[in-house]
Structure formats: C-alpha cells, structure tokens
Amino acid sequence: MKMPSEGKQYVTILGATGSVGINTLDVIGRHPDQYELYALTANSNWELLADQCCTFTPEFAVLINKECAPQLEDRLLQAGSKTKVLTGKDNLCSVAAHEDVDVVMAAIVGGAGLEPTLSSAGAGKKLLLANKESLVMSGSLFMQAVERAGTTLLPIDSEHNAIFQSLANGAPGHADGVRKILLTGSGGPLLGKPIEALSEVTPDEACAHPNWKMGRKISVDSASMMNKGLELIEACWLFSVKPNDIEIVIHPQSIVHSMVEYVDGSVVAQMGNPDMRIPIAHGLAWPGRIDSGVKGLEFTGLGDMNFEPVNLERYPCLALCQEVAWQPQSAAIALNAANEVAVQHFLDELIPFTDIPILIENVLEQTSREEAHTIESILALDEEARHRAMEFIRAR
Ligand code: NDP
C-alpha cells in the first residue's frame, strides 16, 4: 500500500473529471510538496480519468459505470501506471471515508453525490463541500454526522466560502454578532432577456454563463437561479441561520462573492476574480493559504459594480426554494429531485426552460411534509419525487 510522503496530505477527489474536480487538480498540481492523491473518481469519463491518473498517480481510480472499467485498466496498463481501478458505489463511499485519507473534495454533481459525501462527513476528515445537493437533501443528518465525527467542513461554493471567510470567527455554525448574510448571485446568462422570451431559451444559451465556466447542470441552475435557492438552503445548514437572515442580491459582475453584515453596521465582503480555484485553494490550505494560480483583482480597471434586488417573477425556481427552506426535509428532497429530472430533460431538449419551475411546483404539491432522519428515508423520498417528475413529463 502506497502511503503519502512525510508531511503531505492524502486527497480523494469525488468527481475528478468535472469542472470543480479539474480545478482542484490544477491547484494540487501547483503544490506537489503538500498534496498527494489517494483516489480520483468519475462516472464514465474514463479517458480523462486515465490522463489524470497518469499525471497524478493516485492509489485508486473509481468508476461508477462498470462497462468503462476495462478500457481504463487497459489504458493504465499501457502507460505503466500503478493506479488500481475500482468500480461501483460501495468503493466510491470507501475511498471517501478511508482512514488513510486526510482531505476529501466532494464534487460529484447532484444527488448521486449524497452517499459518498455523507460517508466522508461521518469519517472525521477535512471535507471540502462543492456538492451542495447532498446538504440540501440531508441537512440535519449531514450536520449531525459532521459534528459527531469532528469533521472539518469547509464550503467550496464560492458564495459560502466567501461567507465563511467573512465571518469573524471563521467557522460555520457560529454566526454570532451577525445581523444578516448577503448572498450574491450574478443573475446568470438570462438576466437581461425579456421574461416572455424565456420559453424559447436553448440549452446552450442557458449554459453560457457570463462569468463562470461550470458543468451543464449547475449552469442551468444558475440561469434559473435554482442554484441561488439551493445555496440559500445550504447556507442555512452551514451557518445555522434562518432563511430570513439571508438577503439575496443580484451582482452581475461576480466580483463580490458574498458578504456578512454585523450588528454594529460593519459589512465584511470577500472579493476576487470569478475562478473556482480561489475557494478550492482556500479549502485545501485552511487555516493557511496557498497560491491558487489566480491573479489578484485589478481594482483600477474594474469599472462599475452593481447590486440589485431579485425579481422573483423572472426566477420562480428561487421563489420555490425560499418557501421550501422553511419546510421539513421532504420538501427540499422533492425540490432537488424534481429539479434534477427537469434540468436533464431541458438539456436533452425535451421540455422548455419555463417548464422547470412548473414541474417542480407540481411535484412539491404532491409531496407530504415530513422530516427524514435516515439515509434510507431520504433515498426513498428522492426516488418517489423523481418518479412523480417523470409522470408529469409523460403527461405533458
Ligand atoms: P460536472 O458536471 O462538471 O462534473 C460532475 C462530476 O461528477 C464528474 O466527475 C462526473 O463524472 C461525476 N458524476 C456525474 N454523475 C455521477 C454519478 N452518478 N456517480 C458518480 N459520479 C458522477 O459538475 P461541476 O464540477 O460543475 O459541479 C460539481 C458539484 O459542485 C455540483 O454539486 C455543483 O453544484 C457544485 N459546484 C460547482 C461549481 C462550478 O464552478 N462548477 C461551483 C460551485 C459548486 P463524468 O465526468 O464521468 O460524468
């Protein structure tokens, strides 16, 4: 068994082939003296995973799609790589929680990230959380696991990382002296589009974010501002605040990544170029700092910075999240599941963009409001909501 060299941290990246995973490897690649890879995981993109294994020599590569494993094994064999290939969800959970691992980056997209992220939350490691859907789905179970295991939970979503950095005592769950949190959002690529034209939006238009380069699911969520709504729910759990402690502000330039206002009137903001390597480097090095590869802000060339209130008529998905944030866990599970089904069908050009909130509202109307304290009950509610979402689509 390979062990990390003295003084280095051993890292697992869940979702290594995605946008956050690639950015994480970029930062790690700048600090070979500090980090070594234990495991890299992907769903089916074995070609990129093979390249990553050749460059970063992890102990394990995990693929969910078993059919792709022989190709990955062949490629690694040809390259003389010693990385061992594993498949399936159990192995995903085990590399997320293995005792040798120091740091886990949770960057799988959607509810598929729930079980491995939760495994890591309960394993007492440093957990860098990008997969917001897992916290939205399992809030109280997740935070209890973190507390019980003494896990160091660091938010990687740029907004939550900014809030974390702006909190005086620097730790989630201790928002003392805070009057409110100002959660900023760019408004996405459709901010200036007439509301009547939103039904004609194509997947490529919805994914053309003006400031951030991200995976397609979160890009659509940004266009609908579902992403901001999921972030609202995520922030409530991370920082132990209520939905009305958080004000959502449109800031099209994405320079201020969020702010905290204190009871004495001070407002502390975190700023930087819109590049995920900043929060990733912050999480990896916390409580220290490392170079992320991102240039500092050129303040004299920045131009205007605007801040506007949100028009909920334009962003009905956000309005739904604001209601769900007050409701028992089953509502957040149903909202997340219905959104994932709707976004995939929109990306596949099977439903229009404007059907996304209609579908979610329909599923929410059929969902009983109940708490969910076990992984089994969460997964059952998730499945039920996905089933209802599919029924709605079939009936359209
Ligand atoms: P991507 O779509 O770019 O990447 C997703 C990753 O998850 C890929 O490695 C993919 O593997 C893997 N994956 C997909 N489905 C499964 C599955 N069923 N089981 C296991 N692994 C799977 O997503 P992003 O990097 O954009 O986002 C990842 C998470 O980070 C999301 O929760 C998002 O909300 C959050 N986030 C992302 C930001 C960004 O800038 N992108 C910013 C803030 C938060 P494969 O390549 O094989 O499909």
Side-chain angles (χ1 to χ4, degrees):
M1 166 76 72
K2 184 181 130 188
M3 291 297 284
S5 319
E6 187 81 24
K8 288 195 194 180
Q9 303 211 40
Y10 224 7
V11 183
T12 284
I13 303 180
L14 304 171
T17 50
S19 159
V20 172
I22 292 168
N23 277 310
T24 306
L25 286 171
D26 183 283
V27 176
I28 286 179
R30 293 165 194 276
H31 304 280
D33 52 324
Q34 294 188 49
Y35 304 100
E36 245 173 77
L37 271 304
Y38 176 76
L40 297 176
T41 85
N43 184 30
S44 55
N45 189 350
W46 65 270
E47 283 144 311
L48 179 55
L49 191 61
D51 291 347
Q52 292 177 336
C53 289
C54 291
T55 308
F56 291 95
T57 63
E59 175 88 2
F60 297 104
V62 186
L63 271 177
I64 288 299
N65 185 340
K66 293 188 169 96
E67 283 168 23
C68 303
Q71 285 138 301
L72 177 61
E73 275 165 343
D74 283 355
R75 177 74 61 86
L76 292 178
L77 198 67
Q78 281 165 24
S81 163
K82 293 202 171 61
T83 298
K84 296 177 218 39
V85 175
L86 306 172
T87 56
K89 203 159 52 168
D90 288 350
N91 280 316
L92 197 58
C93 292
S94 104
V95 297
H98 196 275
E99 58 180 4
D100 291 345
V101 174
D102 302 299
V103 183
V104 175
M105 166 59 82
I108 290 173
V109 63
L114 174 65
E115 287 173 86
T117 307
L118 207 50
S119 295
S120 175
K125 314 202 167 295
K126 185 195 251 195
L127 172 57
L128 311 185
L129 183 70
N131 174 239
K132 68 195 84 182
E133 295 92 341
S134 58
L135 189 52
V136 167
M137 290 171 75
S138 71
S140 115
L141 185 71
F142 191 105
M143 294 311 284
Q144 279 168 21
V146 164
E147 193 149 322
R148 246 196 329 265
T151 296
T152 304
L153 180 60
L154 294 163
I156 296 303
D157 231 323
S158 60
E159 294 79 359
H160 303 77
N161 183 269
I163 295 163
F164 179 79
Q165 293 199 48
S166 302
L167 284 170
N169 54 15
H174 300 281
D176 303 339
V178 170
R179 185 182 283 153
K180 66 176 170 184
I181 287 172
L182 293 128
L183 183 63
T184 56
S186 68
L190 309 176
L191 178 63
K193 207 170 179 72
I195 294 178
E196 317 76 69
L198 291 178
S199 58
E200 304 301 324
V201 164
T202 65
D204 283 347
E205 278 177 89
C207 289
H209 198 284
N211 308 328
W212 297 97
K213 206 170 167 307
M214 309 180 285
R216 280 171 84 77
K217 190 262 178 183
I218 186 178
S219 295
V220 176
D221 285 351
S222 298
S224 68
M225 279 193 89
M226 168 56 79
N227 185 48
K228 210 48 56 189
L230 296 176
E231 287 178 6
L232 170 78
I233 299 169
E234 182 186 12
C236 289
W237 287 114
L238 281 175
F239 304 113
S240 296
V241 294
K242 297 277 176 235
N244 59 353
D245 296 324
I246 300 174
E247 182 182 337
I248 297 173
V249 181
I250 301 262
H251 167 47
Q253 294 82 6
S254 302
I255 296 295
V256 173
H257 298 304
S258 278
M259 301 177 260
V260 174
E261 182 182 315
Y262 289 89
V263 288
D264 60 7
S266 302
V267 179
V268 181
Q270 187 264 353
M271 293 187 261
N273 284 312
D275 190 317
M276 282 305 289
R277 289 176 299 172
I278 295 177
I280 291 168
H282 176 265
L284 279 169
W286 189 86
R289 297 266 177 183
I290 51 170
D291 174 24
S292 65
V294 182
K295 289 205 180 93
L297 278 176
E298 295 274 357
F299 273 93
T300 49
L302 271 184
D304 292 340
M305 285 208 280
N306 308 96
F307 299 91
E308 303 161 20
V310 187
N311 172 3
L312 288 177
E313 203 196 327
R314 172 178 289 284
Y315 298 110
C317 286
L318 176 56
L320 289 170
C321 290
Q322 286 178 325
E323 287 168 27
V324 161
W326 290 100
Q327 296 174 359
Q329 191 66 59
S330 62
I333 296 167
L335 171 120
N336 180 68
N339 180 56
E340 284 190 28
V341 173
V343 169
Q344 192 54 57
H345 281 75
F346 166 67
L347 284 171
D348 293 341
E349 300 188 48
L350 296 170
I351 63 170
F353 182 74
T354 40
D355 262 13
I356 297 173
I358 298 171
L359 185 154
I360 298 168
E361 195 170 8
N362 181 280
V363 172
L364 280 172
E365 275 165 12
Q366 298 177 62
T367 303
S368 63
R369 299 298 189 262
E370 57 189 279
E371 293 301 344
H373 298 294
T374 63
I375 185 71
E376 292 76 18
S377 58
I378 291 167
L379 293 174
L381 286 161
D382 174 73
E383 199 184 318
E384 199 177 300
R386 283 172 201 269
H387 179 71
R388 290 199 169 121
M390 287 306 301
E391 274 180 349
F392 175 87
I393 288 171
R394 276 189 219 106
R396 268 314 247 188

